[in-house]
Amino acid sequence: MRDALRPAAPARAVWSYVRKAPGTFIWLAILFVTSVIMHHLAPDTLDQVLQHRSTNINNLLHSPGRVLLTSALWLAGGNWLYYFVLYNVFHVPAERWLGTRRWLAVMGVTHIGATYLSEGILALAIHTGAAPHSAVDTLDVGVSYALAGIIAVLTYRLPWHPLRYVYAAGVLVFYAIPLFDNLTFTDIGHLSAALLGLACYPITPGARARMRGMRSRRRRQSRAAAPAGSSNPGRG
């Protein structure tokens, strides 16, 4: 009887792993389907499909909600297996730690925020003549902004010691280096997403308690450092 049950153990282990990060694996499943579709489309048709879902300036002006959602369901020039590995390294632990709702919130902040920041800078470059007007239709699809934000917010998953600062510095350097070599609006978007991910600290688990604790320690230190008799001066 035990031997008959053994083959089910690996399946249960896989299911247990998947159900602890449902959003990540639903997203991966959608990306798998769209990646298969991409490989079966003719180049001209594929270009039309992606342009319709691109978060370029024109689409953001006319249908922002649609393109902000659908642009994150297609991989631009990436292999699905490559992202499968990255999602398991970063998204799975982030979703388990944050919970699905907070994980979605971080991705929304970073994906949307980085998109508008990068496209806003591109619009300014077009206005000043630094970029051609045709750039309003530049192709911009993919999941990399949300991924950059999740990689950055995982900084707060690490303990309070130099490892956290080393990790955060490494993330920022990684996304800042491309800014100094053939700068593009997507390079700006990736760094923006990482910075926005770091700014999501207040919604990480235990952040409020830690911030209250820090404020309480500062108040105690301030009272301890105050001269005798000055802690309660009265109303006068």
Side-chain angles (χ1 to χ4, degrees):
M1 183 66 177
R2 289 181 180 177
D3 291 339
L5 293 175
R6 282 177 184 172
R12 286 199 299 270
V14 170
W15 172 242
S16 176
Y17 177 78
V18 169
R19 69 186 178 87
K20 289 178 181 177
T24 297
F25 287 99
I26 290 171
W27 195 8
L28 276 171
I30 294 171
L31 291 173
F32 178 78
V33 172
T34 57
S35 296
V36 171
I37 292 172
M38 288 176 67
H39 283 91
H40 287 82
L41 292 177
D44 290 345
T45 305
L46 176 59
D47 184 63
Q48 292 176 6
V49 168
L50 296 182
Q51 282 290 350
H52 186 62
R53 291 155 177 80
S54 172
T55 50
N56 56 44
I57 295 171
N58 266 338
N59 284 343
L60 285 173
L61 288 173
H62 297 100
S63 51
R66 176 181 61 81
V67 295
L68 284 167
L69 175 62
T70 59
S71 66
L73 304 180
W74 298 78
L75 296 175
N79 183 288
W80 183 84
L81 288 175
Y82 170 74
Y83 282 98
F84 178 83
V85 173
L86 289 180
Y87 273 44
N88 278 273
V89 172
F90 297 108
H91 276 294
V92 168
E95 186 178 359
R96 287 181 172 185
W97 169 55
L98 293 167
T100 301
R101 290 183 181 179
R102 290 178 179 178
W103 171 76
L104 286 169
V106 172
M107 289 199 302
V109 167
T110 55
H111 172 64
I112 297 171
T115 295
Y116 274 103
L117 281 168
S118 59
E119 292 293 341
I121 291 173
L122 179 59
L124 180 62
I126 294 170
H127 180 72
T128 59
H133 187 269
S134 59
V136 296
D137 291 316
T138 299
L139 182 64
D140 186 19
V141 298
V143 301
S144 57
Y145 291 170
L147 180 59
I150 289 296
I151 291 172
V153 80
L154 280 171
T155 296
Y156 306 115
R157 185 71 177 89
L158 300 173
W160 279 102
H161 57 64
L163 180 59
R164 174 178 289 192
Y165 302 105
V166 170
Y167 178 87
V171 170
L172 293 178
V173 168
F174 177 81
Y175 286 113
I177 287 175
L179 299 179
F180 302 97
D181 180 29
N182 192 27
L183 175 66
T184 67
F185 75 94
T186 55
D187 296 330
I188 296 171
H190 289 135
L191 181 59
S192 299
L195 291 170
L196 288 167
L198 290 174
C200 287
Y201 172 74
I203 67 171
T204 59
R208 291 182 180 178
R210 288 193 293 270
M211 292 168 75
R212 284 196 298 268
M214 291 172 64
R215 287 194 294 268
S216 177
R217 284 194 296 272
R218 290 195 191 102
R219 285 195 296 268
R220 289 197 299 269
Q221 291 169 358
S222 178
R223 287 196 294 268
S230 64
S231 59
N232 185 21
R235 296 177 65 89

